Amino acid sequence: MNTIDETSEFELLMAPILDERPWAVYAACKNETTMSFFPQNRAEEQAALAICEICPVKDDCLEHALETNERFGVWGGTTERQRRKLARSA
Ligand code: SF4
């Protein structure tokens, strides 16, 4: 068992997230530090969506975003606009 000193900062930061979203450990974006999943322009949005396309937990991520009504950012290979459209058609 790790002590706090032996536990990495990443593990400490991820603990509450992994309780809520255990699939996040497999997320293609989990170590992504150079790009934003809360994009400020179309180029950033496209870059985030490209990572989602190869993500093994894309469906889990989208399901979570729809269930929790995540209003902002790219989740599960969708933009905010796309999720609003999905929610309206459900
Ligand atoms: S689908 Fe996209 S936002 Fe969701 S975990 Fe995968 S890479 Fe991250």
Side-chain angles (χ1 to χ4, degrees):
M1 184 170 157
N2 290 345
T3 65
I4 292 289
D5 289 342
E6 294 168 333
T7 304
S8 74
E9 185 178 352
F10 175 76
E11 288 174 294
L12 287 172
L13 290 171
M14 288 297 287
I17 293 171
L18 293 179
D19 280 348
E20 184 186 330
R21 300 179 244 145
W23 45 264
V25 73
Y26 303 110
C29 61
K30 74 176 183 182
N31 296 324
E32 196 57 63
T33 58
T34 59
M35 56 181 294
S36 175
F37 281 77
F38 295 91
Q40 300 302 307
N41 57 52
R42 186 81 177 134
E44 287 180 1
E45 185 176 84
Q46 290 303 307
L49 290 170
I51 298 292
C52 292
E53 278 309 305
I54 60 161
C55 180
V57 293
K58 183 176 155 187
D59 292 345
D60 296 298
C61 183
L62 177 57
E63 189 179 319
H64 167 81
L66 293 172
E67 282 176 3
T68 58
N69 196 25
E70 289 285 359
R71 292 180 54 207
F72 302 107
V74 167
W75 291 79
T78 62
T79 63
E80 299 161 7
R81 288 182 310 280
Q82 291 169 324
R83 286 195 307 282
R84 280 197 299 274
K85 208 170 188 177
L86 284 172
R88 281 196 301 269
S89 65

